[in-house]
Amino acid sequence: MVPSSSDSSITTVHPDIIQSHILTRLDGPTLASAASTASHLRRLCTEHHLWRKISTATWPSLNDPLTASLIATFPASHRSIFSDSFPSLHYSSSPHHLTSSSPPPEEIISAVDLYYKGKPVFSKVLRTETHKGWFLTSPLWVDLLEPNELVPTPVKFAQNGNDGEEWLKHLEENLSLSWIIIDPTRKRAANVSSRFPVTVRRHWLTGEIQAVYAVVMGDGTVDREGHVLWEGWGRDAREGGESHFGGCRGKARDWEG
């Protein structure tokens, strides 16, 4: 078999040079694309340390000992979770051996990262038990923080425009959220956040800023679709001061609520 021109040309470059000076500079989608160009590159692009660096840089919560130990059990480790979780949730038909009656895993793991202007400002990993009555008899509901828990952030509060409308618009464009749910049993993961908020608003009573993220799940059949709603809220400091992250809640519901 005659090697392709891409194979024959790329093999003239020493693998150490490719790995240390080229592949380490690529992001996940570019690295995946490079792997499909030549068999020689594919071997180099699937190195574990490359995908671990990319995944933990994209989602700092994956550095947590709990998520790190789980990812180590995935078929291709960090490459598997990147494939499952980037960029966000998309529908695909379930394998025939997984039915709606399949028992849930004993627990699900949430790996959550909040970003401001593309830089992480808050990360947390949360374990949710699925075998208890409250989980089995109610819609999915996950509270990331304890009641009244406040987390300081480097986001500087600014009051400008009409009643802070410009500030709310600024947050809508610059405050992003990743919420990865990991199934430890089936070794799969999914990012169930819309990344950027569908709306940012002030609560009518408390005045707290609320950012709402949502993603639709289903197979295109309206009566079977539902959506996952993730709400984050914070409390403002004085103008020019730090804002505090005051809570984050995820819940799943159908179109009727």
Side-chain angles (χ1 to χ4, degrees), residues 27-28 33 38-39 47 49 51-53 66 87 118 131 169 177 194 205 214 218 238:
D27 59 16
S33 297
S39 58
E47 288 290 334
H49 72 278
W51 289 101
R52 181 181 62 228
K53 179 181 178 181
L66 174 58
H131 59 276
K169 180 65 174 177
L177 176 73
S194 57
L205 180 61
R238 292 182 178 178

PDB file of all heavy atoms in Angstrom, residues 27-28 33 38-39 47 49 51-53 66 87 118 131 169 177 194 205 214 218 238:
ATOM      1  N   ASP A  27      -6.575  23.792  20.204  1.00  0.00           N
ATOM      2  CA  ASP A  27      -7.728  23.553  21.058  1.00  0.00           C
ATOM      3  C   ASP A  27      -8.345  22.212  20.694  1.00  0.00           C
ATOM      4  O   ASP A  27      -7.892  21.533  19.762  1.00  0.00           O
ATOM      5  CB  ASP A  27      -8.745  24.694  20.951  1.00  0.00           C
ATOM      6  CG  ASP A  27      -9.267  24.892  19.529  1.00  0.00           C
ATOM      7  OD1 ASP A  27      -9.102  23.985  18.687  1.00  0.00           O
ATOM      8  OD2 ASP A  27      -9.846  25.963  19.260  1.00  0.00           O
ATOM      9  N   GLY A  28      -9.402  21.820  21.415  1.00  0.00           N
ATOM     10  CA  GLY A  28      -9.982  20.500  21.220  1.00  0.00           C
ATOM     11  C   GLY A  28     -10.498  20.229  19.814  1.00  0.00           C
ATOM     12  O   GLY A  28     -10.132  19.218  19.202  1.00  0.00           O
ATOM     13  N   SER A  33      -9.683  17.590  14.508  1.00  0.00           N
ATOM     14  CA  SER A  33      -9.586  17.698  13.055  1.00  0.00           C
ATOM     15  C   SER A  33      -8.222  17.235  12.556  1.00  0.00           C
ATOM     16  O   SER A  33      -8.121  16.544  11.540  1.00  0.00           O
ATOM     17  CB  SER A  33      -9.832  19.151  12.614  1.00  0.00           C
ATOM     18  OG  SER A  33     -11.133  19.571  12.945  1.00  0.00           O
ATOM     19  N   ALA A  38      -4.335  12.296   8.911  1.00  0.00           N
ATOM     20  CA  ALA A  38      -3.316  11.293   8.574  1.00  0.00           C
ATOM     21  C   ALA A  38      -3.212  10.292   9.709  1.00  0.00           C
ATOM     22  O   ALA A  38      -3.390  10.639  10.877  1.00  0.00           O
ATOM     23  CB  ALA A  38      -1.959  11.949   8.316  1.00  0.00           C
ATOM     24  N   SER A  39      -2.901   9.058   9.368  1.00  0.00           N
ATOM     25  CA  SER A  39      -2.803   8.010  10.390  1.00  0.00           C
ATOM     26  C   SER A  39      -1.679   8.306  11.375  1.00  0.00           C
ATOM     27  O   SER A  39      -1.801   8.039  12.572  1.00  0.00           O
ATOM     28  CB  SER A  39      -2.590   6.650   9.724  1.00  0.00           C
ATOM     29  OG  SER A  39      -1.420   6.657   8.919  1.00  0.00           O
ATOM     30  N   GLU A  47      -2.859  11.156  22.183  1.00  0.00           N
ATOM     31  CA  GLU A  47      -2.085  11.038  23.427  1.00  0.00           C
ATOM     32  C   GLU A  47      -2.898  11.611  24.589  1.00  0.00           C
ATOM     33  O   GLU A  47      -3.470  12.702  24.491  1.00  0.00           O
ATOM     34  CB  GLU A  47      -0.755  11.779  23.298  1.00  0.00           C
ATOM     35  CG  GLU A  47       0.254  11.104  22.389  1.00  0.00           C
ATOM     36  CD  GLU A  47       0.802   9.813  22.993  1.00  0.00           C
ATOM     37  OE1 GLU A  47       0.808   9.701  24.237  1.00  0.00           O
ATOM     38  OE2 GLU A  47       1.201   8.924  22.222  1.00  0.00           O
ATOM     39  N   HIS A  49      -2.155  12.954  27.494  1.00  0.00           N
ATOM     40  CA  HIS A  49      -1.799  14.208  28.164  1.00  0.00           C
ATOM     41  C   HIS A  49      -2.318  15.425  27.401  1.00  0.00           C
ATOM     42  O   HIS A  49      -2.606  16.464  28.004  1.00  0.00           O
ATOM     43  CB  HIS A  49      -0.280  14.303  28.347  1.00  0.00           C
ATOM     44  CG  HIS A  49       0.482  14.547  27.078  1.00  0.00           C
ATOM     45  ND1 HIS A  49       0.820  13.526  26.204  1.00  0.00           N
ATOM     46  CD2 HIS A  49       0.948  15.694  26.528  1.00  0.00           C
ATOM     47  CE1 HIS A  49       1.484  14.032  25.182  1.00  0.00           C
ATOM     48  NE2 HIS A  49       1.563  15.345  25.341  1.00  0.00           N
ATOM     49  N   TRP A  51      -5.248  15.646  25.729  1.00  0.00           N
ATOM     50  CA  TRP A  51      -6.668  15.813  26.012  1.00  0.00           C
ATOM     51  C   TRP A  51      -6.919  16.147  27.479  1.00  0.00           C
ATOM     52  O   TRP A  51      -7.881  16.853  27.800  1.00  0.00           O
ATOM     53  CB  TRP A  51      -7.432  14.562  25.599  1.00  0.00           C
ATOM     54  CG  TRP A  51      -7.488  14.444  24.113  1.00  0.00           C
ATOM     55  CD1 TRP A  51      -6.721  13.652  23.313  1.00  0.00           C
ATOM     56  CD2 TRP A  51      -8.329  15.197  23.239  1.00  0.00           C
ATOM     57  NE1 TRP A  51      -7.029  13.852  21.990  1.00  0.00           N
ATOM     58  CE2 TRP A  51      -8.013  14.799  21.911  1.00  0.00           C
ATOM     59  CE3 TRP A  51      -9.313  16.161  23.433  1.00  0.00           C
ATOM     60  CZ2 TRP A  51      -8.660  15.341  20.803  1.00  0.00           C
ATOM     61  CZ3 TRP A  51      -9.961  16.698  22.335  1.00  0.00           C
ATOM     62  CH2 TRP A  51      -9.631  16.282  21.039  1.00  0.00           C
ATOM     63  N   ARG A  52      -6.060  15.674  28.365  1.00  0.00           N
ATOM     64  CA  ARG A  52      -6.200  16.064  29.771  1.00  0.00           C
ATOM     65  C   ARG A  52      -5.956  17.562  29.933  1.00  0.00           C
ATOM     66  O   ARG A  52      -6.706  18.260  30.629  1.00  0.00           O
ATOM     67  CB  ARG A  52      -5.212  15.280  30.636  1.00  0.00           C
ATOM     68  CG  ARG A  52      -5.321  15.636  32.132  1.00  0.00           C
ATOM     69  CD  ARG A  52      -4.318  14.859  32.957  1.00  0.00           C
ATOM     70  NE  ARG A  52      -2.961  15.181  32.552  1.00  0.00           N
ATOM     71  CZ  ARG A  52      -2.016  14.269  32.307  1.00  0.00           C
ATOM     72  NH1 ARG A  52      -2.294  12.976  32.417  1.00  0.00           N
ATOM     73  NH2 ARG A  52      -0.789  14.645  31.966  1.00  0.00           N
ATOM     74  N   LYS A  53      -4.927  18.074  29.265  1.00  0.00           N
ATOM     75  CA  LYS A  53      -4.622  19.506  29.358  1.00  0.00           C
ATOM     76  C   LYS A  53      -5.757  20.346  28.777  1.00  0.00           C
ATOM     77  O   LYS A  53      -6.168  21.351  29.371  1.00  0.00           O
ATOM     78  CB  LYS A  53      -3.316  19.799  28.617  1.00  0.00           C
ATOM     79  CG  LYS A  53      -2.917  21.264  28.644  1.00  0.00           C
ATOM     80  CD  LYS A  53      -1.618  21.490  27.879  1.00  0.00           C
ATOM     81  CE  LYS A  53      -1.233  22.969  27.866  1.00  0.00           C
ATOM     82  NZ  LYS A  53       0.013  23.203  27.094  1.00  0.00           N
ATOM     83  N   LEU A  66     -12.577  13.934  42.525  1.00  0.00           N
ATOM     84  CA  LEU A  66     -13.706  13.061  42.215  1.00  0.00           C
ATOM     85  C   LEU A  66     -13.887  12.905  40.712  1.00  0.00           C
ATOM     86  O   LEU A  66     -13.992  11.784  40.196  1.00  0.00           O
ATOM     87  CB  LEU A  66     -14.987  13.616  42.841  1.00  0.00           C
ATOM     88  CG  LEU A  66     -16.284  12.881  42.485  1.00  0.00           C
ATOM     89  CD1 LEU A  66     -16.206  11.416  42.882  1.00  0.00           C
ATOM     90  CD2 LEU A  66     -17.482  13.561  43.143  1.00  0.00           C
ATOM     91  N   PRO A  87     -19.648  20.858  22.171  1.00  0.00           N
ATOM     92  CA  PRO A  87     -19.767  22.087  22.960  1.00  0.00           C
ATOM     93  C   PRO A  87     -20.921  22.042  23.955  1.00  0.00           C
ATOM     94  O   PRO A  87     -20.864  22.650  25.003  1.00  0.00           O
ATOM     95  CB  PRO A  87     -20.017  23.153  21.892  1.00  0.00           C
ATOM     96  CG  PRO A  87     -20.751  22.418  20.806  1.00  0.00           C
ATOM     97  CD  PRO A  87     -20.175  21.020  20.797  1.00  0.00           C
ATOM     98  N   GLY A 118     -14.953  34.750  29.340  1.00  0.00           N
ATOM     99  CA  GLY A 118     -14.206  33.580  28.916  1.00  0.00           C
ATOM    100  C   GLY A 118     -13.254  33.012  29.943  1.00  0.00           C
ATOM    101  O   GLY A 118     -12.638  31.973  29.701  1.00  0.00           O
ATOM    102  N   HIS A 131     -30.890   7.078  44.303  1.00  0.00           N
ATOM    103  CA  HIS A 131     -31.688   5.943  44.769  1.00  0.00           C
ATOM    104  C   HIS A 131     -32.621   6.306  45.914  1.00  0.00           C
ATOM    105  O   HIS A 131     -33.333   5.443  46.432  1.00  0.00           O
ATOM    106  CB  HIS A 131     -30.765   4.797  45.209  1.00  0.00           C
ATOM    107  CG  HIS A 131     -29.821   5.175  46.320  1.00  0.00           C
ATOM    108  ND1 HIS A 131     -28.615   5.805  46.098  1.00  0.00           N
ATOM    109  CD2 HIS A 131     -29.919   5.004  47.661  1.00  0.00           C
ATOM    110  CE1 HIS A 131     -27.998   6.013  47.248  1.00  0.00           C
ATOM    111  NE2 HIS A 131     -28.775   5.540  48.213  1.00  0.00           N
ATOM    112  N   LYS A 169     -27.293  43.589  30.117  1.00  0.00           N
ATOM    113  CA  LYS A 169     -26.923  43.199  28.765  1.00  0.00           C
ATOM    114  C   LYS A 169     -25.465  42.764  28.712  1.00  0.00           C
ATOM    115  O   LYS A 169     -25.108  41.798  28.029  1.00  0.00           O
ATOM    116  CB  LYS A 169     -27.159  44.377  27.813  1.00  0.00           C
ATOM    117  CG  LYS A 169     -26.814  44.088  26.353  1.00  0.00           C
ATOM    118  CD  LYS A 169     -27.732  43.030  25.770  1.00  0.00           C
ATOM    119  CE  LYS A 169     -27.486  42.865  24.279  1.00  0.00           C
ATOM    120  NZ  LYS A 169     -28.331  41.790  23.699  1.00  0.00           N
ATOM    121  N   LEU A 177     -21.889  29.622  31.324  1.00  0.00           N
ATOM    122  CA  LEU A 177     -21.991  28.524  32.281  1.00  0.00           C
ATOM    123  C   LEU A 177     -21.826  27.183  31.582  1.00  0.00           C
ATOM    124  O   LEU A 177     -22.374  26.951  30.508  1.00  0.00           O
ATOM    125  CB  LEU A 177     -23.363  28.557  32.974  1.00  0.00           C
ATOM    126  CG  LEU A 177     -23.683  27.408  33.939  1.00  0.00           C
ATOM    127  CD1 LEU A 177     -22.871  27.552  35.226  1.00  0.00           C
ATOM    128  CD2 LEU A 177     -25.179  27.371  34.261  1.00  0.00           C
ATOM    129  N   SER A 194     -26.852  25.895  28.219  1.00  0.00           N
ATOM    130  CA  SER A 194     -26.873  26.590  26.933  1.00  0.00           C
ATOM    131  C   SER A 194     -25.626  27.447  26.722  1.00  0.00           C
ATOM    132  O   SER A 194     -25.539  28.185  25.750  1.00  0.00           O
ATOM    133  CB  SER A 194     -28.116  27.479  26.845  1.00  0.00           C
ATOM    134  OG  SER A 194     -28.161  28.401  27.925  1.00  0.00           O
ATOM    135  N   LEU A 205     -38.584  40.981  43.434  1.00  0.00           N
ATOM    136  CA  LEU A 205     -38.722  41.246  44.861  1.00  0.00           C
ATOM    137  C   LEU A 205     -37.382  41.519  45.533  1.00  0.00           C
ATOM    138  O   LEU A 205     -37.217  42.517  46.238  1.00  0.00           O
ATOM    139  CB  LEU A 205     -39.415  40.066  45.547  1.00  0.00           C
ATOM    140  CG  LEU A 205     -39.646  40.190  47.059  1.00  0.00           C
ATOM    141  CD1 LEU A 205     -40.543  41.403  47.352  1.00  0.00           C
ATOM    142  CD2 LEU A 205     -40.272  38.914  47.622  1.00  0.00           C
ATOM    143  N   ALA A 214     -30.810  27.502  29.494  1.00  0.00           N
ATOM    144  CA  ALA A 214     -31.774  26.442  29.210  1.00  0.00           C
ATOM    145  C   ALA A 214     -31.326  25.645  28.002  1.00  0.00           C
ATOM    146  O   ALA A 214     -30.681  26.168  27.093  1.00  0.00           O
ATOM    147  CB  ALA A 214     -33.162  27.026  28.965  1.00  0.00           C
ATOM    148  N   GLY A 218     -34.936  16.181  23.565  1.00  0.00           N
ATOM    149  CA  GLY A 218     -36.026  15.430  22.975  1.00  0.00           C
ATOM    150  C   GLY A 218     -35.628  14.934  21.604  1.00  0.00           C
ATOM    151  O   GLY A 218     -34.517  15.154  21.134  1.00  0.00           O
ATOM    152  N   ARG A 238     -21.530  47.363  45.946  1.00  0.00           N
ATOM    153  CA  ARG A 238     -21.674  48.739  45.502  1.00  0.00           C
ATOM    154  C   ARG A 238     -21.004  48.908  44.150  1.00  0.00           C
ATOM    155  O   ARG A 238     -20.168  48.111  43.740  1.00  0.00           O
ATOM    156  CB  ARG A 238     -21.037  49.696  46.521  1.00  0.00           C
ATOM    157  CG  ARG A 238     -21.784  49.739  47.858  1.00  0.00           C
ATOM    158  CD  ARG A 238     -21.136  50.733  48.793  1.00  0.00           C
ATOM    159  NE  ARG A 238     -21.855  50.824  50.071  1.00  0.00           N
ATOM    160  CZ  ARG A 238     -21.477  51.600  51.076  1.00  0.00           C
ATOM    161  NH1 ARG A 238     -20.389  52.353  50.951  1.00  0.00           N
ATOM    162  NH2 ARG A 238     -22.172  51.628  52.183  1.00  0.00           N
TER     163      ARG A 238
END
